[in-house]
Amino acid sequence: MEIKPEKPKYAMALKGGVIFLLILLLAIPTILINEMVHERQRRLEEAVREVSSKWADRQTISGPIISIPFLEYYRDSLGVHSYKRYAHVLPNNLKINGSLAPEMRYRGIFQVAVYNSKIEFKGDFDHFDIKDLNVPEQNILWQDAFVSIGISDLRGIEEAVDFKWNDEQYSFNSGLESKDVLYSGINTRIKINRDTLQQKNTFSFSLNLKGSEYVYFSPIGKTTEVNISSPWTSPSFDGAFLPDKREVDEKGFNAYWRVLHLNRNFPQQWLGNQHNIEGSAFGINLKIPTDNYTKTDRSMKYSLLFITLTFLIFYFLELMNNKYFHAIQYLLVGFALCIFYVLLLSISEHIPYNYAYVIASIMTIGLISWYTSGVLKDKKLAMMIGGNLTLLYGFIFTLIQLEDYALLMGSLGLFVILSIVMYYSRKIDWATLMKK
């Protein structure tokens, strides 16, 4: 007669402890996978930088700004000395109209958005008096006055830039004479004096400019109006100001901004480097949807919870159906749940994220259901496991999509799950079970 070995006392209690340790152990591969997600995201950023370095980088356009040099004197033990300073004057009205023609560049499997732009600038300088800045008239070097336009990456300029000032035309030169306000750009000398600045002076110029990802504008006019259109269908409006009007459809977008001098934190004229204008810049980001990394990272935050709930389902099946699942088998199921995130990450780099999630979920659920059926020799229980996993994956997918309501729905979902666990655990005689 065959004698079956008795189960050790408190076997199921010990099993629960082992399962808890396995969950902690599986935290290691989830951390490694999460680092892999961040590594792939860094690779994408490197690809963007590499393409931008060869095409032209992100562009911020500021100008035109009139800079008037003057001499300032000081006395020391060696005598009287002078040095050059600059008074900076901003336009009264600035109107910008342009269009962006986007293109796609590839670095391996990564896509990078670049663009060609044609942008028209026009406006006027109206009734400025140098006395407002308390600069002595005899110290001003009117013959050295110049106009500057800030362009963050000069490699993007595709054609010569001419500046029309009233009825005269000037050609821009590369570089800046003063970096009080701008750090990169072009400039040209213009003929002005105290009398001409007290009148209304009109200007206009055009830029054919290349760039990558985004184009920003600094609101330097007392009134700045910007109107930009493009066939790009997924723009992101960034910076200090959002558009007053915008239209986005399958044909592209059109956006309009109107910014007053009262909306920003610098005046219309000042001396030296007292103010920074780029903090008020705004514009368009030609954003390529790369939310697969963000969404995968967000789904990873639920990984341990997911593993815990799955192991809890298996543990309850053991208790309520007199089935036995070995600790190694728990570990293999845990590895399958971790591999889901690797599948999700790799597949989502080639197809849209939602499709990748469905494919990775089906592969993982199918594998675990098939394995459970073979171990427990019970197709009904295997189908129940598969159904529960489907609900869990569906729950996590919903949380990822909701974004703003993820916390609310997540907390409600966890409450419902806990309620279900507590409901079914009532039927278990824990006192008797702990003695087995």
Side-chain angles (χ1 to χ4, degrees):
M1 180 179 178
E2 182 182 355
I3 301 175
K4 294 183 179 180
E6 294 184 3
K7 286 185 180 180
K9 201 172 183 180
Y10 307 122
M12 294 309 294
L14 291 172
K15 184 71 166 287
V18 171
I19 291 172
F20 177 73
L21 292 175
L22 289 177
I23 292 171
L24 295 181
L25 179 64
L26 288 169
I28 297 173
T30 59
I31 292 172
L32 295 176
I33 295 170
N34 198 40
E35 178 57 31
M36 185 189 302
V37 174
H38 294 155
E39 189 273 334
R40 298 299 291 178
Q41 198 163 18
R42 289 192 293 269
R43 286 280 301 277
L44 171 61
E45 293 168 358
E46 289 172 4
V48 171
R49 287 195 296 270
E50 185 177 349
V51 171
S52 300
S53 67
K54 293 177 172 59
W55 177 265
D57 215 333
R58 302 165 177 175
Q59 296 287 11
T60 299
I61 305 171
S62 307
I65 298 172
I66 293 179
S67 297
I68 306 167
F70 64 93
L71 296 178
E72 198 159 275
Y73 295 89
Y74 68 96
R75 182 187 297 273
D76 61 16
S77 59
L78 298 177
V80 178
H81 308 275
S82 67
Y83 63 96
K84 187 182 291 187
R85 293 188 67 194
Y86 297 89
H88 306 290
V89 184
L90 306 185
N92 192 57
N93 294 294
L94 175 62
K95 293 185 178 181
I96 303 172
N97 288 280
S99 61
L100 304 180
E103 297 181 25
M104 299 303 300
R105 292 288 184 270
Y106 294 87
R107 183 64 65 217
I109 64 171
F110 301 112
Q111 292 181 318
V112 181
V114 300
Y115 60 83
N116 285 281
S117 65
K118 293 185 178 181
I119 309 173
E120 303 284 338
F121 297 76
K122 64 180 180 179
D124 59 74
F125 289 81
D126 194 6
H127 298 96
F128 165 72
D129 193 341
I130 195 70
K131 292 180 180 178
D132 295 339
L133 295 175
N134 297 318
V135 177
E137 176 75 23
Q138 65 273 16
N139 293 354
I140 299 174
L141 306 175
W142 289 108
Q143 71 277 10
D144 294 332
F146 58 91
V147 172
S148 302
I149 298 172
I151 300 172
S152 52
D153 191 346
L154 298 179
R155 294 173 303 164
I157 300 175
E158 295 196 280
E159 294 181 2
V161 184
D162 294 323
F163 185 75
K164 186 176 181 181
W165 175 259
N166 296 321
D167 295 325
E168 298 186 60
Q169 190 154 310
Y170 301 87
S171 294
F172 276 102
N173 300 306
S174 180
L176 298 172
E177 183 172 331
S178 167
K179 294 192 177 182
D180 285 349
V181 184
L182 306 169
Y183 68 90
S184 174
I186 55 179
N187 78 92
T188 183
R189 295 283 176 89
I190 59 170
K191 296 176 183 178
I192 58 172
N193 55 44
R194 183 188 63 182
D195 295 332
T196 57
L197 279 181
Q198 290 178 345
Q199 306 170 27
K200 183 174 183 178
N201 298 275
T202 61
F203 67 84
S204 63
F205 64 94
S206 300
L207 283 178
N208 286 358
L209 194 66
K210 296 190 302 184
S212 301
E213 290 194 291
Y214 71 62
V215 57
Y216 277 14
F217 303 94
S218 296
I220 63 166
K222 196 169 186 179
T223 301
T224 302
E225 296 180 70
V226 178
N227 197 321
I228 300 294
S229 61
S230 173
W232 189 260
T233 57
S234 58
S236 176
F237 302 106
D238 293 335
F241 302 97
L242 293 177
D244 293 270
K245 300 176 185 177
R246 61 180 177 182
E247 296 177 3
V248 182
D249 54 32
E250 67 279 358
K251 295 181 180 179
F253 74 85
N254 187 280
Y256 170 80
W257 292 260
R258 186 172 185 270
V259 182
L260 303 178
H261 70 294
L262 298 174
N263 303 136
R264 57 178 211 219
N265 197 28
F266 53 88
Q268 285 299 111
Q269 60 273 326
W270 66 87
L271 301 178
N273 57 357
Q274 297 177 11
H275 299 282
N276 176 21
I277 66 173
E278 291 194 357
S280 299
F282 60 88
I284 307 103
N285 189 338
L286 302 185
K287 186 178 182 181
I288 297 177
T290 55
D291 56 355
N292 59 311
Y293 298 114
T294 303
K295 289 184 175 180
T296 301
D297 183 57
R298 289 173 59 194
S299 68
M300 288 292 301
K301 291 177 171 45
Y302 301 97
S303 57
L304 285 183
L305 173 64
F306 201 96
I307 292 170
T308 301
L309 291 174
T310 304
F311 281 11
L312 195 60
I313 292 170
F314 275 96
Y315 187 64
F316 272 32
L317 283 178
E318 285 193 69
L319 295 178
M320 301 176 68
N321 295 276
N322 261 339
K323 298 291 184 180
Y324 181 72
F325 217 64
H326 194 274
I328 296 299
Q329 292 164 332
Y330 273 96
L331 190 61
L332 290 174
V333 170
F335 283 145
L337 295 173
C338 292
I339 291 296
F340 162 77
Y341 298 103
V342 180
L343 290 170
L344 177 59
L345 174 63
S346 58
I347 297 172
S348 65
E349 289 186 331
H350 300 277
I351 65 174
Y353 178 85
N354 291 350
Y355 295 134
Y357 190 97
V358 171
I359 292 172
S361 299
I362 291 173
M363 293 174 67
T364 305
I365 294 170
L367 175 62
I368 294 175
S369 300
W370 167 79
Y371 184 67
T372 303
S373 176
V375 171
L376 300 181
K377 309 298 181 185
D378 191 326
K379 291 185 179 180
K380 185 178 179 181
L381 288 179
M383 290 178 63
M384 188 171 70
I385 290 288
N388 282 312
L389 287 175
T390 302
L391 290 175
L392 288 175
Y393 276 114
F395 173 61
I396 301 299
F397 180 78
T398 303
L399 291 183
I400 294 170
Q401 303 301 317
L402 288 174
E403 294 188 6
D404 295 337
Y405 297 95
L407 179 59
L408 174 62
M409 296 305 297
S411 58
L412 292 175
L414 290 176
F415 180 81
V416 170
I417 292 171
L418 179 60
S419 301
I420 294 172
V421 171
M422 293 175 70
Y423 175 79
Y424 282 104
S425 65
R426 294 178 313 139
K427 301 179 180 181
I428 300 174
D429 187 352
W430 294 101
T432 305
L433 183 67
M434 294 300 290
K435 295 177 182 179
K436 290 185 178 179

